[in-house]
Amino acid sequence: MAITKIHPIKSTLNLAIDYIVNGDKTDEQILVSTHKCHQETAHTQFLRTRNDVGTKGNVLARHLIQSFLPGETTPEIAHQIGMELCKKILKNEYEFVLSTHIDKGHIHNHIIFNNVNMVTGRCYQSNKKSYHQIRYQSDKLCKENNLSVIDEFYENYKKKYKTNGKSWYENEQAKRGTSWKSRLQFDIDRMIKQSKDWDDFLKTMADLGYEIKYGKHIAFKPKDKPRFTRSKTIGEDYTEERLKERIAEISSIKTPAVKKRIGNVIDMNTNVKVKESKGYEYWATKHNLKTAADTVILMHELGFKSLAQLDNFIKESAEERQSLQDKIKVIDSKISTLSSTMEQVHSVTKYRQIYLTYNKEPSDKAFYEEYKSQIILYQNAIADLKKSYSKLPNSKAILKELDLLHEKKNTLMQEYSSSKSDMKKLYQIRKNYEKYMGKEMER
């Protein structure tokens, strides 16, 4: 598997080239190749090409790094793959210096190429599209040389479902349902549904007890925690830009007008203010009459002709809510299992070559000590997978199933949230009816 990174060089070009052609790193410069330049004078040749075409940009060159897994390839093959990659992406139109470093635990290529095309005189356009082309060509070359490639479905899984920046403690707490990052995520999701705009969202979060810090990235802090947490660390759906988009999406959906909330009937027998103030007693009596009338009217609007009928409906609704909750728990369990499977498949794919190298010579203690954690991860992952699968699961299929499960869960959560609001209203009706039509009528 080759991992690629690219970044611009805006100064000290000569030092960057000197670093990548260092003889200690490149087997006495045997693993160094160039195109249309010499390694010792490459930086001056790059600048001469820039001057000839009159380029004024501040990027002098691009530095591309192509890393391979330990034990997956030889220095010679890695260098050849690097040369093929240069031909594919630079098409002999850019001067470049390629070196293969063998001084670290993993073999990796360094490619420094001129930012100016010596044929067209145009600058190299480094963007998502060009990087995707680099990665595509690198993966293709790896496949041709029987090397593993990056699993795009695992990468998509990480972006969509894997929370960033969690410590081991937070992961353990999340399993128990007590993680404060999980709580922040839950509160944000809940308040977004209730907010009409961004300012309203911030106000509701503050009302929940969160301190809010504004800056490049918005951050929240519960009052019982010492530090702020940037919401973007929860996941891609929680950046400030995405939060605003989600609020706008929800506010654009037309919802039926909600009737005024039914108030509480005041207990005239136990309320201290009623006993101390005639004025308050008068107001409370009028309030109870109005609340009782509203309660009876709402009961009839909802189709309940008796208290027994209401009680029966509340019981059925409670059972339905419990059923929804049980279904959500089952889906959560499946999501958790599939997420673990995805991680195990990734570990097996990522560390297979290391394990195979170790398995050929298990007596090589130095190799084992260097890659002990990767070897153990591979062994544990493959052992767990064998308990449920006869062959290695497909990450594409796992991601597809996870998408479907999350879609089902979101639908059930919406039903559950709606039923919770309805149940609250029903309980209030029941409470008012019993309190007023019982004790107050006796008075």
Side-chain angles (χ1 to χ4, degrees), residues 123-310:
C123 290
Y124 179 83
Q125 297 301 309
S126 183
N127 48 41
K128 287 184 178 180
K129 184 178 179 180
S130 62
Y131 176 72
H132 179 77
Q133 183 63 17
I134 290 171
R135 180 172 155 181
Y136 169 76
Q137 294 295 347
S138 179
D139 286 351
K140 187 177 178 182
L141 288 167
C142 285
K143 287 180 181 178
E144 290 171 0
N145 287 273
N146 297 317
L147 305 181
S148 58
V149 298
I150 294 172
D151 187 343
E152 61 178 295
F153 302 106
Y154 178 77
E155 295 300 314
N156 288 338
Y157 156 76
K158 277 202 305 183
K159 288 179 181 178
K160 293 171 77 173
Y161 302 125
K162 196 171 180 182
T163 301
N164 300 322
K166 272 194 177 182
S167 65
W168 174 87
Y169 172 77
E170 287 166 345
N171 277 318
E172 290 300 304
Q173 293 301 303
K175 291 175 187 175
R176 297 176 172 84
T178 56
S179 166
W180 62 272
K181 277 191 177 180
S182 296
R183 193 177 81 203
L184 173 60
Q185 183 180 19
F186 173 77
D187 286 338
I188 287 175
D189 289 341
R190 191 159 53 96
M191 292 304 103
I192 280 177
K193 293 176 182 177
Q194 299 177 19
S195 304
K196 59 185 178 183
D197 54 34
W198 178 244
D199 291 336
D200 191 35
F201 167 72
L202 296 176
K203 181 180 179 301
T204 54
M205 288 298 290
D207 290 343
L208 279 179
Y210 284 98
E211 292 182 41
I212 304 172
K213 184 165 71 174
Y214 306 95
K216 186 177 179 181
H217 303 287
I218 193 165
F220 299 88
K221 182 177 82 70
K223 290 183 178 178
D224 59 339
K225 297 296 175 185
R227 292 190 299 272
F228 283 89
T229 295
R230 292 176 176 179
S231 60
K232 75 181 187 75
T233 63
I234 300 174
E236 289 192 346
D237 226 19
Y238 296 85
T239 62
E240 183 172 337
E241 182 182 3
R242 183 63 190 126
L243 291 177
K244 289 178 179 177
E245 288 175 357
R246 288 171 63 189
I247 291 169
E249 287 167 5
I250 289 176
S251 62
S252 66
I253 300 171
K254 293 182 179 180
T255 54
V258 179
K259 292 188 176 182
K260 186 178 177 181
R261 184 175 65 88
I262 297 295
N264 286 310
V265 169
I266 297 169
D267 193 329
M268 303 293 284
N269 293 322
T270 59
N271 191 283
V272 176
K273 287 185 178 180
V274 170
K275 295 177 180 179
E276 293 177 349
S277 169
K278 286 291 182 183
Y280 185 83
E281 181 184 8
Y282 175 72
W283 175 86
T285 302
K286 285 180 65 179
H287 167 81
N288 284 353
L289 282 169
K290 184 178 184 306
T291 301
D294 289 343
T295 299
V296 173
I297 290 169
L298 185 56
M299 271 188 69
H300 285 287
E301 286 179 354
L302 294 172
F304 302 119
K305 298 179 180 179
S306 67
L307 196 59
Q309 194 178 5
L310 174 61

Side-chain angles (χ1 to χ4, degrees), residues 111-122:
I111 303 166
I112 293 181
F113 62 92
N114 197 342
N115 193 54
V116 176
N117 186 311
M118 58 186 179
V119 177
T120 66
R122 295 178 180 177

Side-chain angles (χ1 to χ4, degrees), residues 382-394:
I382 200 74
D384 287 338
L385 287 170
K386 283 181 177 178
K387 293 175 184 176
S388 305
Y389 300 91
S390 57
K391 63 179 183 178
L392 192 69
N394 184 293

Side-chain angles (χ1 to χ4, degrees), residues 15-35 39 63-68 75-76 78-83 86 96-103 106-113:
L15 297 180
I17 294 175
D18 287 345
Y19 169 77
I20 73 166
V21 300
N22 187 317
D24 295 334
K25 300 174 182 291
T26 59
D27 194 12
E28 299 303 325
Q29 295 189 340
I30 292 174
L31 299 169
V32 174
S33 298
T34 61
H35 177 69
Q39 62 197 51
H63 188 171
L64 174 61
I65 302 171
Q66 185 185 35
S67 303
F68 302 89
E76 293 74 22
H79 193 77
Q80 183 59 38
I81 290 173
M83 283 297 293
C86 289
F96 69 78
V97 179
L98 161 68
S99 69
T100 302
H101 284 194
I102 57 175
D103 59 319
H106 62 284
I107 295 170
H108 55 283
N109 289 328
H110 287 273
I111 303 166
I112 293 181
F113 62 92

